[in-house]
Amino acid sequence: PKKKILFPKENIFIKKHVEIMLNQQKQIIFATCDIETTNTTPFKPYMIGFYNKKYGKPLIFYGLDCIKRWLIFLRDKVWYYKHAAFIIYAHNGGGFDFLFILRELMNMDDVVIKRAIEVRGKIIQFTCYFNFKGKPPKRFIFRDSYPLISASLDRISIDFDLKFKKLTGTVNYDIITTENFEEQIKKQNITKYLENDCLSLYDALAKMKEIILDRYGLNPLECITISALAKKIFLNKYLL
């Protein structure tokens, strides 16, 4: 049985604070992001989308400095529980998105990157700490969702019967350059595709969490890979 923490009556405030902190430590707040880049080398990001249900709809940052402005937004504006885990997912992030995000983070002051996990040449997770103007550090975990849901976003949206399925139609990425991306964003309505991809990935993670919690009483977002989740289900459901 778990030991109870006993507090004198005069320390009721401390008791409430500790209970809140312990409850927050069990929480996982998650969000999704996706990057659009030019198709000519070197690739240049010109849009990044970010979604968490708190904001109601995806937030889009435009321009060749979009990632820097988004990271500053995370540092200065994003609300989260101090003791909770805030995980930002990108599908195939280790193979693409994180390359641009890490490069920008390394050019920022007062940023510490820890606990990078590399698998087959891809960084599938790393933790970023923002230490800004003497404030308590803000911690964000960047995680690739592909090792947990190993399929294309299009396939996932069909298999999970998601509300936000991959949009039909095509975007001609080959013609997008650093000189014409603003024109092409409007002409090809690329914002709509980016918003949908952020929503679709968020929807998929939420659906997976709902299914695994219902069947096994476990939160799959505590695991980085599908094999780690399978092991956890086996140990908790069939062995322990």
Side-chain angles (χ1 to χ4, degrees):
K2 293 183 180 179
K3 292 183 179 179
K4 292 184 178 180
I5 302 175
L6 301 177
F7 293 90
K9 289 183 179 179
E10 60 270 20
N11 289 335
I12 192 69
F13 172 78
I14 298 176
K15 177 183 177 182
K16 288 182 178 179
H17 178 74
V18 171
E19 287 176 348
I20 290 171
M21 185 180 72
L22 292 174
N23 184 51
Q24 289 178 1
Q25 286 177 337
K26 298 176 184 178
Q27 292 191 35
I28 293 178
I29 303 167
F30 72 96
T32 56
C33 71
D34 191 26
I35 293 173
E36 298 291 350
T37 71
T38 60
N39 204 37
T40 53
T41 55
F43 300 117
K44 295 286 186 180
Y46 60 87
M47 286 175 68
I48 182 167
F50 174 72
Y51 179 70
N52 173 269
K53 64 180 181 180
K54 170 180 167 54
Y55 298 104
K57 65 178 183 178
L59 305 179
I60 308 297
F61 297 79
Y62 298 93
L64 297 178
D65 63 343
C66 59
I67 295 180
K68 180 179 179 179
R69 290 189 295 105
W70 173 62
L71 291 171
I72 291 173
F73 170 79
L74 292 182
R75 183 193 69 187
D76 296 349
K77 302 295 184 182
V78 168
W79 166 91
Y80 77 132
Y81 288 134
K82 179 180 176 182
H83 302 286
F86 197 121
I87 305 174
I88 301 175
Y89 285 94
H91 208 52
N92 192 34
F96 192 72
D97 306 71
F98 293 167
L99 303 177
F100 304 102
I101 293 171
L102 279 166
R103 183 175 64 186
E104 200 60 56
L105 282 169
M106 288 187 289
N107 289 326
M108 294 178 69
D109 296 328
D110 301 320
V111 171
V112 178
I113 299 169
K114 292 185 177 181
R115 302 183 185 91
I117 300 173
E118 180 188 354
V119 176
R120 297 171 186 163
K122 296 181 179 182
I123 296 177
I124 63 170
Q125 177 173 294
F126 64 92
T127 303
C128 168
Y129 293 85
F130 290 106
N131 301 291
F132 185 58
K133 293 182 178 179
K135 296 179 181 179
K138 263 188 176 181
R139 181 188 67 162
F140 295 96
I141 300 168
F142 291 82
R143 183 179 293 174
D144 190 342
S145 54
Y146 194 86
L148 185 63
I149 313 179
S150 301
S152 69
L153 205 50
D154 187 16
R155 184 73 257 170
I156 294 167
S157 66
I158 295 171
D159 290 346
F160 280 11
D161 191 24
L162 302 179
K163 176 182 177 181
F164 299 99
K165 293 183 171 60
K166 192 75 174 178
L167 294 178
T168 57
T170 57
V171 174
N172 187 357
Y173 293 103
D174 293 337
I175 64 173
I176 301 173
T177 67
T178 54
E179 288 76 29
N180 71 3
F181 71 86
E182 292 178 325
E183 174 191 349
Q184 292 300 322
I185 286 172
K186 296 176 182 177
K187 190 173 182 180
Q188 301 195 60
N189 202 7
I190 300 173
T191 299
K192 181 177 71 172
Y193 287 87
L194 183 61
E195 288 178 342
N196 194 78
D197 284 350
C198 291
L199 289 165
S200 183
L201 180 57
Y202 190 95
D203 203 11
L205 292 165
K207 187 72 174 285
M208 185 179 193
K209 178 182 175 182
E210 177 187 338
I211 292 170
I212 301 301
L213 273 173
D214 181 59
R215 293 185 181 179
Y216 304 108
L218 299 172
N219 186 351
L221 304 188
E222 294 177 356
C223 301
I224 301 173
T225 66
I226 191 66
S227 56
L229 176 59
K231 181 180 179 181
K232 192 169 186 177
I233 291 173
F234 174 71
L235 290 174
N236 283 270
K237 190 73 174 178
Y238 302 105
L239 194 60
L240 299 181

